[in-house]
Amino acid sequence: MCGRYTLLAEERDIQETFGLSDGISEYEPSYNVAPGQNVLSIIHDGKEKRGGYMRWGLVPSWAKDPKIGYKMINARSESAHEKPSFKSLMARKRCLIIADSFYEWQASQDGKQPKRIQTEDGSLFAFAGLWDKWQQGDEVLFTCTILTRDANTFMQDIHHRMPIILPKGKEADWIAPTVYRPEEAQAFLTSLTSVPLKAHNVSTYVNSAKHNDPECITPLTSN
């Protein structure tokens, strides 16, 4: 799964990396992005890419209670094309969720050790995501979820699941303004190659979503 991540890049770097022509309204870096917060996402509106914020935790358009979003921060890519909550979104509401690392907790006899995981070159990347619009009366929510897969060889010793990181050159394909059959979108995800990763231990300070400062990412002296 993916329950926390970081986004520390400069706004200009995000624009250049993902080909955004406009600025990002109210952009704020974060050392500890958590479920329920607004997260930077990119969609294609049929004319151009657009960057903006959605709440992390999917609330399907048909949901009666928006609190369901706290249970839907992740979606299993292996079955998303079959599930009522995600099937139509796989076809037409795909998004990028922008990050530069994510956290995972490795179980051990001494408890759970948080690790910060980055791409091998430390660059910006995009999680494969899905989004939806929920409305009840005057209340409108735009929300999203991160797609996950079985852990690759690198991640297997840390956790059995991992978020899907789109390889460079595949981000635009994922959000292309094309209506896929859900099975086609699932096949696209299955075809992706793994992005090389690296990791280091960080303090349990990051366990609290209230903490959002450099201490969250500071490497421990021993790994």
Side-chain angles (χ1 to χ4, degrees):
M1 64 174 292
C2 179
R4 301 283 182 79
Y5 67 90
T6 72
L7 179 56
L8 305 173
E10 297 289 336
E11 180 180 347
R12 180 176 294 181
D13 291 338
I14 297 170
Q15 288 178 265
E16 292 178 353
T17 299
F18 295 101
L20 296 176
S21 56
D22 295 329
I24 303 165
S25 179
E26 300 181 356
Y27 173 66
E28 288 189 15
S30 177
Y31 292 91
N32 197 1
V33 183
Q37 296 179 359
N38 290 330
V39 298
L40 181 60
S41 308
I42 296 174
I43 65 168
H44 198 297
D45 65 5
K47 296 181 180 179
E48 62 180 358
K49 297 176 186 176
R50 293 170 50 199
Y53 282 90
M54 302 186 198
R55 194 170 78 179
W56 185 11
L58 188 80
V59 181
S61 60
W62 44 261
K64 294 181 179 179
D65 188 344
K67 291 181 181 178
I68 193 175
Y70 289 98
K71 299 179 180 180
M72 300 179 71
I73 65 169
N74 292 155
R76 294 177 65 94
S77 62
E78 298 91 339
S79 58
H81 64 295
E82 301 171 333
K83 300 294 185 180
S85 297
F86 309 124
K87 185 175 182 179
S88 65
L89 309 184
M90 290 281 279
R92 63 179 68 241
K93 289 185 177 178
R94 302 174 301 274
C95 66
L96 308 179
I97 299 172
I98 309 306
D100 47 29
S101 74
F102 66 98
Y103 298 106
E104 191 53 82
W105 282 256
Q106 183 178 38
S108 71
Q109 292 181 342
D110 300 322
K112 290 187 175 182
Q113 172 59 55
K115 290 180 176 285
R116 184 190 184 201
I117 299 156
Q118 299 170 275
T119 58
E120 203 166 57
D121 61 3
S123 61
L124 271 165
F125 59 82
F127 297 122
L130 303 173
W131 69 277
D132 207 353
K133 176 183 177 181
W134 177 90
Q135 184 168 2
Q136 195 170 85
D138 294 332
E139 186 179 4
V140 178
L141 293 175
F142 290 91
T143 62
C144 61
T145 187
I146 295 174
L147 286 152
T148 65
R149 50 161 285 186
D150 280 337
N152 62 16
T153 303
F154 178 87
M155 284 293 297
Q156 282 173 353
D157 290 338
I158 300 173
H159 197 273
H160 68 284
R161 300 289 295 176
M162 66 180 291
I164 294 180
I165 297 174
L166 293 161
K168 299 299 181 187
K170 295 295 184 178
E171 300 102 333
D173 293 335
W174 177 243
I175 60 169
T178 303
V179 178
Y180 295 127
R181 287 185 293 109
E183 295 82 3
E184 291 177 317
Q186 195 270 342
F188 171 84
L189 295 174
T190 301
S191 73
L192 297 175
T193 57
S194 292
V195 175
L197 300 172
K198 63 182 180 181
H200 63 257
N201 290 347
V202 294
S203 167
T204 53
Y205 179 82
V206 77
N207 290 5
S208 172
K210 296 179 180 179
H211 296 155
N212 192 340
D213 57 64
E215 189 172 343
C216 292
I217 64 171
T218 301
L220 295 183
T221 53
S222 60
N223 286 337

